[in-house]
Amino acid sequence: MKTVSLSAPTRSSTVKFRMPTRDNLVPIRVDVEVDGQRYRDAFTWNPRDPDSEIISFAKRTAKDLKLPASFVPQMLQSIQGQLAEFRSYEGQEMQIKEKIMPLKIDLRVNNTLVRDQFLWDIGNLDSDPEEFARTLCDDLNITDPEVGPAIAVSIREQLYEIASQSVSAMREAKVSKKRRAPEFASNSKAMNNAVDMFKYFGSKGSVIRKRKEWYLYAPVVDVVPNEEVVVVDTTEGA
Amino acid sequence: MSPAAAGAASSGEAPPSRPKRELYTIPASSSWFRWDDIHETERSALPEFFGGPGGNSYGTASRNPRIYREYRDYIINKYREDPARRLTFTEVRKALVGDATLLRKLFGFLDSSGLINFSATSPRPVAQQPGLDAVLEAPVGLQVTPRPQVSYSVEERFGGGTGENVFRLPPLSSYVDVFGEWAPGKGPICAFCGVECKDGKVETLEDGFKVCSTCCKTNSDNEEANKCAGDKKESADNHASSAWTDAETLLLLEGVLKHGDDWDLITQHVRTKNKLECIARLIQLPFGEHMLGAINGKSDSRFQTSQTTDGKTNHYIVKDTSSQSNEMVDGMQIDGEQDGADKLVEEQPSKRQRLSSSIDVTGSLMEQLALLTTATSLDVVAAAAAASIKALGSENPQAKNAFHLSEKEYQGKTFSSNHIHESECNVGDQEGEMHGQTVPDKKLQKKYISTAYQVRAAVGTAVGVAAARAKMLVDQEEREIELLLASIIETQLRKIQYKIKHFEELELIMDQEYNTIQQIKESLINEWLKVLEQAFQAGVPIQRDEVLTKLFLNKSTP
């Protein structure tokens, strides 16, 4: 049994494009401005849901937030556009292989600032950003209920970007194969960010990080008092 | 916890260079743990590292047993630096290189199996902020509690003919929940029937509802479900910052009536509570379902009364629908035509059964019984009815009287098939009521008694029919099983016979081969002897070969 799995490890496989997480949820970010009012939001959407859900969602959100009805078509357009983009990737092939990438979180949610970096295996289709974010919030005693979902969406956005890059890399690889051009040229670009596996996981390496590097991968959370939020906002806008 | 296990674990932990050994008391459930080995529990919990099911990437760079041990040992050592402190995943994560998802799974496994955080004194961070937890999983707060069976019992008990009173709106049974024990000068009010309990026979359920003794009985089935709901409710109560006063609840209700589901305005109306608390409170108030149930009951009753008034039209509907249904309805049709309006009235329940295709959870117990009864043939129903009436009669002579009375009436009306009528009278859910109407007014007192017994007989009939049907099915199944078993055994036997034949052939072949081999051996020995003889005659010394010959002879002779 063991020898079989050792001799033929499935190092990489191709699957149809999807989010490289357990739940195939698409991160959606909406930023709509109507008549001087601005609505910004981020959430996840199941692409299997019927599109009729979007309009009811938009209406409901506008009602809950007491936004004028003129927001609804814009929100609808924004969400539909992002879903359409996701669906344009679906059906194409994506390479799933172990690839550990550093993900960065740099968010401000209401009064909470979160900055963090951690490693994520793009090939792990069992990953769950929401659960990760929940653990993070629990561990750090973050009380604001909006922080967790925001972190999860941020993770999903980065995964989405990497996955879509992988799709285009696959396409390029196919084209270049036909031309008999060297293959690695297109691949190296996507790979340059990934963790050097051999360095840490090889027989000489160690998965225990050096103490002086800890600060890079530790989360930093700041709670800004209300007065300062305004200041941060203005600097962000500039 | 066996001390031996603790000793083993800690002795393995201390490196040989360090003379001082640290003793850790670990939970008994994790006594399988060894520093120098990976246990089966670990393999099955985290197949990613060991190539189990789902661990298809076994042998890749970042997932193998060696890496697993490195992670595991680091996390456990880290925890043991300060066992009283709870180690968090976020803390561990910064020191380990690897996939965050995988690390979190590993950490969760170590945490849940008691290898870390087993003697941490600081509580889980989750427990410190249940509010946050609740918000993250907001939809869980909405829960559907089973609808109490008030309406059923009311219908059954008063079904005889109290008319409009039966279907009055049950009073807001949330009264107790809303106003607590405050109501002055009154006994507690039953949460189910809404009647004031003056006799002091009150039972308090887990969730604070008071229930009078009669309802408590009917409710006993539901109690389990209620308990669960109660637990959840309690947990929800935990994070409500303060208790609700009567005035606040009133304000909340007013606000809901005035502003619909605009919670901001409602919150402004209540003022003393925030939005979340308002929503939680409204969800806790249980009267919504009671109201709904009451409305359903009312519409039901209207349906029935309309049926009784224009029975003529309904009769034709029955005709139409019964064209594809079984003889049961056919028989009733004949009767209906023969006996006129009275019979039509009796048919109503059956018609309703026809219309409602499957057993409906919201339907009354009697309806379900009636539906059960229609599942089998007439004769079975009749037999069951007769049996149940007989049993009831022997149980109580008064019951006999009741049935005697009603049967006499029937005999006056029926023309031939007595048993069909008996079954009919036991089928419908509103039977009792119908009989009551046919009996003259002077027999009013007896009417109720007979109704009660008829209901009981109906129950008996239904159960009997169901049992008969079940028995039939069981018999059928048994026969089927026997048949299948026989065929299986037969095939097995045939298979074995084939095998035996095959083996016999094989044996024959073997014997033949053995014989030929023996012959070859003998000829070989003869040749060998000949060679030896010739060599001897020629005078060639053959010392070396003697040993060989001996061996050969020794081997072949036995």
Side-chain angles (χ1 to χ4, degrees), chain B residues 137-417:
Chain B
E137 299 169 337
V140 179
L142 288 170
Q143 39 175 313
V144 181
T145 48
R147 181 184 159 203
Q149 297 186 318
V150 206
S151 39
Y152 310 165
S153 51
V154 170
E155 261 176 49
E156 272 169 45
R157 223 174 295 134
F158 302 112
T162 35
E164 296 303 309
N165 289 344
V166 180
F167 301 106
R168 79 202 134 91
L169 280 174
L172 292 184
S173 51
S174 64
Y175 190 89
V176 178
D177 194 42
V178 177
F179 297 107
E181 307 286 339
W182 180 72
K186 285 185 176 181
I189 288 171
C190 170
F192 286 102
C193 59
V195 179
E196 203 180 305
C197 308
K198 280 173 183 162
D199 50 2
K201 283 180 191 166
V202 188
E203 312 232 358
T204 310
L205 294 184
E206 302 266 301
D207 43 3
F209 283 119
K210 295 263 185 324
V211 181
C212 67
S213 48
T214 42
C215 286
C216 185
K217 249 178 212 170
T218 52
N219 186 45
S220 59
D221 293 339
N222 267 5
E223 214 152 33
E224 217 43 53
N226 273 332
K227 264 180 200 166
C228 298
D231 289 345
K232 275 183 198 161
K233 226 169 252 176
E234 267 171 30
S235 67
D237 280 337
N238 284 342
H239 54 75
S241 62
S242 59
W244 281 71
T245 63
D246 303 347
E248 278 170 344
T249 312
L250 262 179
L251 278 174
L252 170 67
L253 289 173
E254 269 175 31
V256 171
L257 278 180
K258 211 188 272 177
H259 304 297
D261 58 350
D262 197 333
W263 287 101
D264 285 331
L265 286 175
I266 294 170
T267 315
Q268 280 173 20
H269 192 83
V270 179
R271 265 175 307 184
T272 46
K273 293 278 188 274
N274 66 28
K275 202 162 138 188
L276 280 176
E277 283 170 334
C278 284
I279 296 173
R281 181 61 181 167
L282 194 78
I283 291 167
Q284 270 182 22
L285 298 181
F287 57 81
E289 281 163 28
H290 283 261
M291 296 285 277
L292 275 179
I295 288 160
N296 284 344
K298 198 161 195 178
S299 63
D300 251 20
S301 78
R302 273 191 198 138
F303 182 48
Q304 280 171 27
T305 43
S306 74
Q307 276 184 339
T308 39
T309 45
D310 38 51
K312 201 74 193 167
T313 45
N314 277 333
H315 175 55
Y316 293 114
I317 299 169
V318 174
K319 239 182 185 170
D320 290 340
T321 50
S322 65
S323 55
Q324 76 261 29
S325 62
N326 63 16
E327 53 201 36
M328 177 78 185
V329 174
D330 286 339
M332 286 183 12
Q333 260 189 320
I334 295 162
D335 292 333
E337 278 161 20
Q338 297 267 340
D339 295 78
D342 270 355
K343 290 294 146 199
L344 276 176
V345 171
E346 285 181 8
E347 276 172 23
Q348 304 308 328
S350 296
K351 190 201 151 233
R352 271 180 61 208
Q353 291 151 27
R354 292 277 140 224
L355 291 179
S356 62
S357 52
S358 64
I359 292 186
D360 190 6
V361 197
T362 56
S364 77
L365 175 68
M366 292 302 283
E367 267 175 73
Q368 292 184 17
L369 284 176
L371 203 66
L372 270 179
T373 331
T374 52
T376 41
S377 73
L378 265 183
D379 294 336
V380 181
V381 178
S388 63
I389 288 171
K390 206 174 157 193
L392 261 177
S394 60
E395 194 182 287
N396 195 335
Q398 217 177 355
K400 214 181 223 166
N401 276 343
F403 279 109
H404 204 61
L405 190 129
S406 60
E407 238 165 75
K408 243 195 267 168
E409 268 163 46
Y410 272 117
Q411 254 131 32
K413 282 173 193 166
T414 18
F415 63 108
S416 59
S417 54

Side-chain angles (χ1 to χ4, degrees), chain A residues 98 116 119 121 139 207 209, chain B residues 62 90 93-95 97 99:
Chain A
E98 194 171 38
D116 196 2
L119 300 177
D121 184 357
D139 288 349
V207 293
R209 199 172 274 137
Chain B
S62 72
T90 310
R93 186 187 89 197
K94 67 182 176 194
V97 182
D99 179 20

Side-chain angles (χ1 to χ4, degrees), chain A residues 9-10 66 98 116 119-121 124 127 131-132 136 138-139 141-143 145 201-202 206-209 214 219, chain B residues 56 60-63 66 70 74 88-90 93-101 104 125 129 132 135 262 264:
Chain A
T10 46
K66 303 204 182 358
E98 194 171 38
D116 196 2
L119 300 177
W120 199 275
D121 184 357
N124 188 350
S127 58
E131 189 64 40
F132 176 83
L136 180 70
D138 287 350
D139 288 349
N141 280 346
I142 297 174
T143 44
F201 298 104
S206 168
V207 293
I208 314 298
R209 199 172 274 137
W214 282 10
Chain B
N56 52 357
T60 59
S62 72
R63 296 177 183 186
R66 188 181 63 81
E70 217 167 323
Y74 175 79
T88 63
F89 166 66
T90 310
R93 186 187 89 197
K94 67 182 176 194
L96 293 176
V97 182
D99 179 20
T101 309
R104 200 169 51 76
Q129 24 176 298
L132 171 66
V135 172
D262 197 333
D264 285 331

